Amino acid sequence: MAIITSVDVVDVRFPTSLTADGSDAMNKDVDYSAAYVILRTDDPALSGYGFTFTIGRGNDICALAADRRAQPLLGRDTDELLDDLGTTYRFLKSDSQLRWLGPEKGVEHLAMAAVMNAVWDMAARRAGKPLWRLLADMTPTQLVKVADLQYLSDAITRDEALAMLTELEPTRAARIAELEQTGYPCYTTSAGWLGYSDDKLRRLCQEAVDAGYRHIKLKVGADLEEDIRRLRIAREVIGDDAHLMIDANQVWDVPQAIEWVGALAEFKPLWIEEPTSPDDILGHAAIRRAVAPIGVASGEHGMNRVLFKQMFQAEALDFCQLDSARLASINEILAVYLLAKKFDVPVCPHAGGVGLCELVQHLSIFDYVAVSGSLENRVTEFVDHLHEHFVDPCIVEDGAYRLPAQPGYSAEMFESSLAEFSYPDGTYWAQRIAERT
Amino acid sequence: MAIITSVDVVDVRFPTSLTADGSDAMNKDVDYSAAYVILRTDDPALSGYGFTFTIGRGNDICALAADRRAQPLLGRDTDELLDDLGTTYRFLKSDSQLRWLGPEKGVEHLAMAAVMNAVWDMAARRAGKPLWRLLADMTPTQLVKVADLQYLSDAITRDEALAMLTELEPTRAARIAELEQTGYPCYTTSAGWLGYSDDKLRRLCQEAVDAGYRHIKLKVGADLEEDIRRLRIAREVIGDDAHLMIDANQVWDVPQAIEWVGALAEFKPLWIEEPTSPDDILGHAAIRRAVAPIGVASGEHGMNRVLFKQMFQAEALDFCQLDSARLASINEILAVYLLAKKFDVPVCPHAGGVGLCELVQHLSIFDYVAVSGSLENRVTEFVDHLHEHFVDPCIVEDGAYRLPAQPGYSAEMFESSLAEFSYPDGTYWAQRIAERT
């Protein structure tokens, strides 16, 4: 047995705003950041690493919240915590004073994600398995026990969840074998940021096609004429067979979204992503009815499982883009996957930023192996930024994620990266700040 | 003209958990707290005071977020800021990096509420008017300009809002004269906390009736047999004519809420408050259909205007209980009042805690004077706790709020209260902590 002896939370920020990586109609300057949690034990061989993702300012607020949320873990026996991750999750979640600050949304929920991501990473490391494998080796009963089904029983019961998981259990191994050959299909957003020139857009689209991608995503919503010009360029490069997706990052009201997407219909987008407020379930449903056959995708700002439950009940989504650092780790993410299976909506997780690709590969693989059992209409985001900071970076070949092999949730960053990019005292930021003053 | 010269944020916590004040089925230990913002200028006569409300732990996180959110106000000309409060609000809201942490929910939104509450307090002080009067003296055009209508145009247009306000403008003075006679009707929750004994419950119900209250609210949801016993006691004391409300504080799933409320129907509650997750718009609508004629009330955890828009669109609420410290101050609260008027749902603001009664009296008075023009089915919460800490405490007589007369939003606390209850260094907490260690 090992005892948790320390919680360290690091505010890590990468200066991505300098290159316009990640620029879109809502977010003009973006410094990809992580509130990064390190759980250490008295066993030097057993630690846990996790984070939530932000885009710069406020990352310190998430770091403070994560540090507070993790304190009850200090001095606890890791076997006790990791043998029953449902109870551990509910134990951390049970602070009613902190609950008031959400409930289950915003900074406190991002902090819960960071802490539980580190706990799940530790659980996978203790088992000597990558997280997707740890999950794929759990029985349906064990999975349902860790899933947070509170407030969901009007949409899915414990017995329904158990039956869905049990039905796929005998064929898990065959799907693992298949993915070991093919990998899990992904798409790229690297080509489509608003800050890029037409030439850079054209070149990046061509590179994406050459790299084997069949799906390309472009940011839209700042200027209609510009959107039409950029979509035309993209279609010229990728042709009519490849899929083109568009992402408005919440800039429109509902009527405006319907009008603007209609004006882009000629380019046959597979989906419009985040057309309006991520909280607007009924608005997404109205947009979906109006823009069909163009699909509606949302979820990177989906605050919790109760929002996704309603998105499914209202038939508001064609694609569910849950976020691995915004939902409260596997306990809540699993509940959303179970709902998505019940309502037959494909989950295409949001990724990019820093470290999200490392996390979501585990989720998508597990979903195919144990929950949905399907690859139909499923493609997971991949953005080729900042992977060099991770000890176990995701590997993408021919437009597909290779299966992670190292133990854990692939969340660990290099000490050297933390030393350089921790804010404000890391070597990079200390120099930037010194230059400014 | 005056320049904003300092932002001070104080973490103030009152040890209410010692007396079981505020205990309910979700929140067993509650220390009513405020992240309290003080904006000072180079004019000693002009300051602004505002806060958001929490129940203890995490109040420091809100205080940090409020301090960060308010920084852009430093050095700004108060005339410029206060002459155009719509632009000031959008200026503070426009930080896209902080937006990522919500958007518009959780800690960051509570912080925005605290800061903008202080800005509105300063605006009313500058005008030498109580806030309700400052608002009642604004033209329909001015009011629509400050209201945050983003993401609402599918439910209410700017022109509809303008027309509603214009229709009531000629009769505002008559309603002010009426309220100066009658005050604004309120109800009490002081009687109904779960932590109280049956004798204390009986005594407090009798005292409430004797004090002129026609509405009494009890907490339910922990134990059905106990709820039945306590509701029977309350009905015995208050009789059949007075209104009894029940509040479950989010403890139920949707099917359980329908069953439990059905078992309490014999006591004819006016409303069931927070029967399930505050995010569950469709769940509230399902419960409302099932428990009618018992009404459904919710909103104290209503995170933003987009949630309330959908609550109205889905016909999920009989009573809207918006919170003055959770919504982003007048700019967003006004938008919710306009939606409520459009959808004909009475607004009965949440209050209690610390300082919320001081704020909501201004909102209810303004609503009657300028937005709804109606008192039908409207009653504002009042809890008789902690008013002694406020420089301009609310005054309730014969079950009604008297009209505030002093300039501002009634949010200012005494320096002596801050010195005693600031956490952890105030004299009260320093001693408590010393005793513990």
mmCIF file of all heavy atoms in Angstrom, chain B residues 409-428:
data_model
loop_
_atom_site.group_PDB
_atom_site.id
_atom_site.type_symbol
_atom_site.label_atom_id
_atom_site.label_comp_id
_atom_site.label_asym_id
_atom_site.label_seq_id
_atom_site.Cartn_x
_atom_site.Cartn_y
_atom_site.Cartn_z
ATOM 1 N N TYR B 409 -27.032 50.444 -3.567
ATOM 2 C CA TYR B 409 -27.636 49.121 -3.746
ATOM 3 C C TYR B 409 -27.760 48.418 -2.391
ATOM 4 O O TYR B 409 -27.971 47.217 -2.325
ATOM 5 C CB TYR B 409 -26.751 48.310 -4.717
ATOM 6 C CG TYR B 409 -27.384 47.150 -5.450
ATOM 7 C CD1 TYR B 409 -26.654 46.471 -6.430
ATOM 8 C CD2 TYR B 409 -28.678 46.700 -5.195
ATOM 9 C CE1 TYR B 409 -27.181 45.390 -7.134
ATOM 10 C CE2 TYR B 409 -29.222 45.615 -5.886
ATOM 11 C CZ TYR B 409 -28.464 44.969 -6.849
ATOM 12 O OH TYR B 409 -28.980 43.888 -7.541
ATOM 13 N N SER B 410 -27.610 49.161 -1.290
ATOM 14 C CA SER B 410 -27.736 48.622 0.085
ATOM 15 C C SER B 410 -26.742 47.511 0.374
ATOM 16 O O SER B 410 -26.982 46.662 1.234
ATOM 17 C CB SER B 410 -29.171 48.121 0.346
ATOM 18 O OG SER B 410 -30.128 49.099 0.033
ATOM 19 N N ALA B 411 -25.617 47.514 -0.327
ATOM 20 C CA ALA B 411 -24.662 46.395 -0.238
ATOM 21 C C ALA B 411 -23.517 46.649 0.743
ATOM 22 O O ALA B 411 -22.756 45.732 1.044
ATOM 23 C CB ALA B 411 -24.081 46.108 -1.619
ATOM 24 N N GLU B 412 -23.409 47.878 1.255
ATOM 25 C CA GLU B 412 -22.236 48.194 2.077
ATOM 26 C C GLU B 412 -22.319 47.559 3.465
ATOM 27 O O GLU B 412 -23.341 47.650 4.147
ATOM 28 C CB GLU B 412 -22.097 49.719 2.230
ATOM 29 C CG GLU B 412 -20.851 50.135 3.007
ATOM 30 C CD GLU B 412 -20.719 51.640 3.174
ATOM 31 O OE1 GLU B 412 -21.638 52.372 2.752
ATOM 32 O OE2 GLU B 412 -19.688 52.079 3.733
ATOM 33 N N MET B 413 -21.227 46.907 3.879
ATOM 34 C CA MET B 413 -21.140 46.336 5.223
ATOM 35 C C MET B 413 -20.342 47.276 6.129
ATOM 36 O O MET B 413 -19.514 48.052 5.671
ATOM 37 C CB MET B 413 -20.448 44.966 5.194
ATOM 38 C CG MET B 413 -21.226 43.875 4.503
ATOM 39 S SD MET B 413 -20.437 42.261 4.797
ATOM 40 C CE MET B 413 -21.037 41.367 3.351
ATOM 41 N N PHE B 414 -20.579 47.157 7.430
ATOM 42 C CA PHE B 414 -19.816 47.946 8.400
ATOM 43 C C PHE B 414 -18.354 47.502 8.420
ATOM 44 O O PHE B 414 -18.064 46.299 8.335
ATOM 45 C CB PHE B 414 -20.401 47.788 9.803
ATOM 46 C CG PHE B 414 -21.700 48.523 10.006
ATOM 47 C CD1 PHE B 414 -22.893 47.821 10.166
ATOM 48 C CD2 PHE B 414 -21.730 49.914 10.028
ATOM 49 C CE1 PHE B 414 -24.093 48.490 10.351
ATOM 50 C CE2 PHE B 414 -22.939 50.589 10.218
ATOM 51 C CZ PHE B 414 -24.109 49.880 10.370
ATOM 52 N N GLU B 415 -17.448 48.464 8.553
ATOM 53 C CA GLU B 415 -16.027 48.158 8.700
ATOM 54 C C GLU B 415 -15.801 47.186 9.859
ATOM 55 O O GLU B 415 -14.975 46.277 9.782
ATOM 56 C CB GLU B 415 -15.229 49.447 8.941
ATOM 57 C CG GLU B 415 -15.052 50.325 7.706
ATOM 58 C CD GLU B 415 -14.184 49.661 6.651
ATOM 59 O OE1 GLU B 415 -13.329 48.823 7.005
ATOM 60 O OE2 GLU B 415 -14.391 49.959 5.451
ATOM 61 N N SER B 416 -16.581 47.374 10.920
ATOM 62 C CA SER B 416 -16.398 46.523 12.108
ATOM 63 C C SER B 416 -16.753 45.067 11.807
ATOM 64 O O SER B 416 -16.118 44.138 12.305
ATOM 65 C CB SER B 416 -17.271 47.045 13.250
ATOM 66 O OG SER B 416 -18.630 47.113 12.830
ATOM 67 N N SER B 417 -17.751 44.855 10.936
ATOM 68 C CA SER B 417 -18.111 43.479 10.564
ATOM 69 C C SER B 417 -17.005 42.842 9.738
ATOM 70 O O SER B 417 -16.669 41.665 9.927
ATOM 71 C CB SER B 417 -19.424 43.489 9.767
ATOM 72 O OG SER B 417 -20.480 43.957 10.570
ATOM 73 N N LEU B 418 -16.423 43.635 8.841
ATOM 74 C CA LEU B 418 -15.316 43.113 8.029
ATOM 75 C C LEU B 418 -14.131 42.765 8.929
ATOM 76 O O LEU B 418 -13.491 41.725 8.771
ATOM 77 C CB LEU B 418 -14.887 44.147 6.982
ATOM 78 C CG LEU B 418 -15.953 44.614 5.990
ATOM 79 C CD1 LEU B 418 -15.366 45.621 5.017
ATOM 80 C CD2 LEU B 418 -16.545 43.426 5.234
ATOM 81 N N ALA B 419 -13.873 43.636 9.907
ATOM 82 C CA ALA B 419 -12.725 43.410 10.792
ATOM 83 C C ALA B 419 -12.924 42.142 11.615
ATOM 84 O O ALA B 419 -11.974 41.405 11.896
ATOM 85 C CB ALA B 419 -12.533 44.614 11.715
ATOM 86 N N GLU B 420 -14.161 41.842 11.975
ATOM 87 C CA GLU B 420 -14.416 40.678 12.822
ATOM 88 C C GLU B 420 -14.494 39.385 12.004
ATOM 89 O O GLU B 420 -13.962 38.341 12.402
ATOM 90 C CB GLU B 420 -15.722 40.877 13.601
ATOM 91 C CG GLU B 420 -16.004 39.760 14.596
ATOM 92 C CD GLU B 420 -17.192 40.039 15.500
ATOM 93 O OE1 GLU B 420 -17.850 41.092 15.324
ATOM 94 O OE2 GLU B 420 -17.461 39.200 16.377
ATOM 95 N N PHE B 421 -15.146 39.440 10.833
ATOM 96 C CA PHE B 421 -15.480 38.198 10.130
ATOM 97 C C PHE B 421 -14.728 37.970 8.820
ATOM 98 O O PHE B 421 -15.016 37.015 8.099
ATOM 99 C CB PHE B 421 -16.993 38.135 9.902
ATOM 100 C CG PHE B 421 -17.762 37.992 11.180
ATOM 101 C CD1 PHE B 421 -18.471 39.054 11.714
ATOM 102 C CD2 PHE B 421 -17.731 36.794 11.892
ATOM 103 C CE1 PHE B 421 -19.160 38.939 12.913
ATOM 104 C CE2 PHE B 421 -18.413 36.653 13.089
ATOM 105 C CZ PHE B 421 -19.133 37.724 13.603
ATOM 106 N N SER B 422 -13.753 38.830 8.509
ATOM 107 C CA SER B 422 -12.941 38.527 7.327
ATOM 108 C C SER B 422 -12.150 37.245 7.624
ATOM 109 O O SER B 422 -11.761 36.995 8.774
ATOM 110 C CB SER B 422 -11.997 39.685 7.002
ATOM 111 O OG SER B 422 -11.086 39.879 8.054
ATOM 112 N N TYR B 423 -11.976 36.423 6.582
ATOM 113 C CA TYR B 423 -11.406 35.090 6.760
ATOM 114 C C TYR B 423 -10.044 35.005 6.072
ATOM 115 O O TYR B 423 -9.913 35.476 4.952
ATOM 116 C CB TYR B 423 -12.354 34.051 6.161
ATOM 117 C CG TYR B 423 -11.949 32.621 6.396
ATOM 118 C CD1 TYR B 423 -12.377 31.940 7.536
ATOM 119 C CD2 TYR B 423 -11.120 31.959 5.500
ATOM 120 C CE1 TYR B 423 -11.993 30.624 7.765
ATOM 121 C CE2 TYR B 423 -10.736 30.650 5.730
ATOM 122 C CZ TYR B 423 -11.177 29.988 6.862
ATOM 123 O OH TYR B 423 -10.786 28.697 7.090
ATOM 124 N N PRO B 424 -9.020 34.450 6.722
ATOM 125 C CA PRO B 424 -9.003 33.861 8.062
ATOM 126 C C PRO B 424 -8.491 34.802 9.138
ATOM 127 O O PRO B 424 -8.346 34.390 10.293
ATOM 128 C CB PRO B 424 -8.007 32.704 7.883
ATOM 129 C CG PRO B 424 -7.027 33.226 6.878
ATOM 130 C CD PRO B 424 -7.771 34.201 5.988
ATOM 131 N N ASP B 425 -8.248 36.073 8.795
ATOM 132 C CA ASP B 425 -7.512 36.954 9.711
ATOM 133 C C ASP B 425 -8.384 37.847 10.575
ATOM 134 O O ASP B 425 -7.874 38.537 11.452
ATOM 135 C CB ASP B 425 -6.530 37.826 8.905
ATOM 136 C CG ASP B 425 -5.535 36.957 8.142
ATOM 137 O OD1 ASP B 425 -5.203 35.869 8.676
ATOM 138 O OD2 ASP B 425 -5.149 37.333 7.013
ATOM 139 N N GLY B 426 -9.702 37.861 10.336
ATOM 140 C CA GLY B 426 -10.583 38.672 11.175
ATOM 141 C C GLY B 426 -10.544 38.179 12.617
ATOM 142 O O GLY B 426 -10.194 37.027 12.887
ATOM 143 N N THR B 427 -10.919 39.068 13.548
ATOM 144 C CA THR B 427 -10.757 38.717 14.970
ATOM 145 C C THR B 427 -11.521 37.441 15.335
ATOM 146 O O THR B 427 -11.015 36.598 16.080
ATOM 147 C CB THR B 427 -11.267 39.880 15.857
ATOM 148 O OG1 THR B 427 -12.601 40.222 15.426
ATOM 149 C CG2 THR B 427 -10.360 41.094 15.723
ATOM 150 N N TYR B 428 -12.729 37.263 14.783
ATOM 151 C CA TYR B 428 -13.493 36.053 15.115
ATOM 152 C C TYR B 428 -12.768 34.798 14.647
ATOM 153 O O TYR B 428 -12.532 33.867 15.427
ATOM 154 C CB TYR B 428 -14.894 36.103 14.502
ATOM 155 C CG TYR B 428 -15.630 34.796 14.695
ATOM 156 C CD1 TYR B 428 -16.342 34.540 15.856
ATOM 157 C CD2 TYR B 428 -15.565 33.788 13.725
ATOM 158 C CE1 TYR B 428 -16.975 33.324 16.058
ATOM 159 C CE2 TYR B 428 -16.199 32.569 13.920
ATOM 160 C CZ TYR B 428 -16.905 32.340 15.084
ATOM 161 O OH TYR B 428 -17.517 31.130 15.272
#
